[in-house]
Amino acid sequence: MSTAHKNPNAVDPSSGPGTTGHEWDGIQELNTPLPRWWLWTFYATILWAIGYWVVYPAWPLVSNYTNGLTGWHARSAVVEQIAELQKLRAVSSAKLASVPLEEIEKTPELLSLARAEGRVAFADNCAPCHGAGGAGAKGYPNLNDDDWIWGGTLEQISATITHGARSGDDAGHQGNMMPFGPMLTKAEISDTADYVLSLSGSVPKDTPAVKKGAEIFATNCSACHGEDGKGNQELGARNLTSGIWLYGGDKATIVQTITNGRGGVMPAWSGRLPDTTIKALTVYVHTLGGGQ
């Protein structure tokens, strides 16, 4: 490819515009100017950018940044909006803070306030595990039924939300993780699973495996789950007669549970959420439909 330089003021005879004086293998470069409206728009954006740099925070420095003439910050604006919202909520929060949980549910105005605040807090903090409507999922309790691991009264729900379960909070629920794999043989675990299934009517109660499992259950499991298998909420021991299963009610899953145990964790919300928000959450969860 060869290039040549010609008269930059020459005019292209075919198209009419002037040329830049550059030529590549006989092809001349036309000097076609940009539209004026485009140029003026481009210059306007440059002026606008310079004005923005002067008025608003823009340029990073070594340990800070330029504040601009206004000193306006998006973060400070959000902080102000949150402060205004807290002022609006202060009155209702004061009402909730001064009334016992039982009285909140008996007072329509306070119940409405608690449910409104609790619904928002639940969506932000609890729904990722328990679901938007509190129906739960595998490994996450359904808050709409009456099957409660740690109890479903207002006081029990409040304690669970405040201190969590196996969260590291000494006041929280601890519970036994129940790994019997090192203590029982596979055959014994299988028989125990059959017996557990028979408690909810999932399998017949008169099979040899169920009879063997009943003896193993009485020796190893009844201390927590009770002789009748109806559980113990103080220990977090599930009711095995309800037919409601947190991790699954098929035999393979129950065998896995008996062998390895379960150690579900719920975080303690004390210190993360205000006391009035925990109170509102307690009322909201209790009124989802399954509270005791």
Side-chain angles (χ1 to χ4, degrees), residues 182-205:
M183 302 170 58
L184 302 175
T185 65
K186 291 184 178 180
E188 290 173 329
I189 291 175
S190 176
D191 293 339
T192 305
D194 283 331
Y195 175 72
V196 168
L197 286 170
S198 73
L199 291 174
S200 59
S202 299
V203 300
K205 296 184 177 182

Side-chain angles (χ1 to χ4, degrees), residues 85-99 104 109-117 276-277 279-280:
L85 180 60
Q86 289 175 340
K87 288 181 181 179
L88 293 174
R89 289 181 174 177
V91 176
S92 60
S93 295
K95 291 180 180 179
L96 293 177
S98 61
V99 178
I104 292 175
E109 178 187 359
L110 295 178
L111 178 60
S112 178
L113 288 173
R115 281 186 55 81
E117 183 175 346
T276 53
T277 301
K279 213 170 188 178

Side-chain angles (χ1 to χ4, degrees), residues 97-129:
S98 61
V99 178
L101 287 168
E102 294 80 3
E103 292 300 320
I104 292 175
E105 289 198 346
K106 295 177 182 178
T107 308
E109 178 187 359
L110 295 178
L111 178 60
S112 178
L113 288 173
R115 281 186 55 81
E117 183 175 346
R119 183 183 298 108
V120 174
F122 188 92
D124 290 342
N125 302 282
C126 314
C129 292

Side-chain angles (χ1 to χ4, degrees), residues 43-249:
Y43 295 147
T45 59
I46 294 175
L47 293 175
W48 184 88
I50 294 173
Y52 187 95
W53 297 338
V54 173
V55 176
Y56 294 103
W59 288 97
L61 304 175
V62 176
S63 58
N64 206 334
Y65 50 86
T66 57
N67 288 312
L69 295 177
T70 62
W72 182 88
H73 302 271
R75 180 176 296 177
S76 61
V78 172
V79 171
E80 291 176 2
Q81 292 173 358
I82 292 176
E84 291 177 1
L85 180 60
Q86 289 175 340
K87 288 181 181 179
L88 293 174
R89 289 181 174 177
V91 176
S92 60
S93 295
K95 291 180 180 179
L96 293 177
S98 61
V99 178
L101 287 168
E102 294 80 3
E103 292 300 320
I104 292 175
E105 289 198 346
K106 295 177 182 178
T107 308
E109 178 187 359
L110 295 178
L111 178 60
S112 178
L113 288 173
R115 281 186 55 81
E117 183 175 346
R119 183 183 298 108
V120 174
F122 188 92
D124 290 342
N125 302 282
C126 314
C129 292
H130 291 285
K138 185 176 182 179
Y140 302 100
N142 180 359
L143 305 178
N144 295 311
D145 60 25
D146 290 320
D147 191 69
W148 294 84
I149 301 176
W150 304 103
T153 65
L154 281 167
E155 291 76 14
Q156 290 169 328
I157 294 172
S158 177
T160 301
I161 296 173
T162 302
H163 303 292
R166 304 183 186 91
S167 63
D169 187 330
D170 292 337
H173 303 304
Q174 306 304 325
N176 192 338
M177 294 178 65
M178 197 188 72
F180 280 99
M183 302 170 58
L184 302 175
T185 65
K186 291 184 178 180
E188 290 173 329
I189 291 175
S190 176
D191 293 339
T192 305
D194 283 331
Y195 175 72
V196 168
L197 286 170
S198 73
L199 291 174
S200 59
S202 299
V203 300
K205 296 184 177 182
D206 55 354
T207 65
V210 169
K211 293 178 180 179
K212 293 179 182 177
E215 297 177 0
I216 300 169
F217 184 92
T219 303
N220 299 277
C221 313
S222 61
C224 293
H225 290 283
E227 294 181 2
D228 55 2
K230 292 187 177 180
N232 185 335
Q233 291 179 344
E234 293 183 1
L235 301 176
R238 300 299 305 272
N239 180 359
L240 304 176
T241 67
S242 66
I244 300 174
W245 303 95
L246 184 59
Y247 294 95

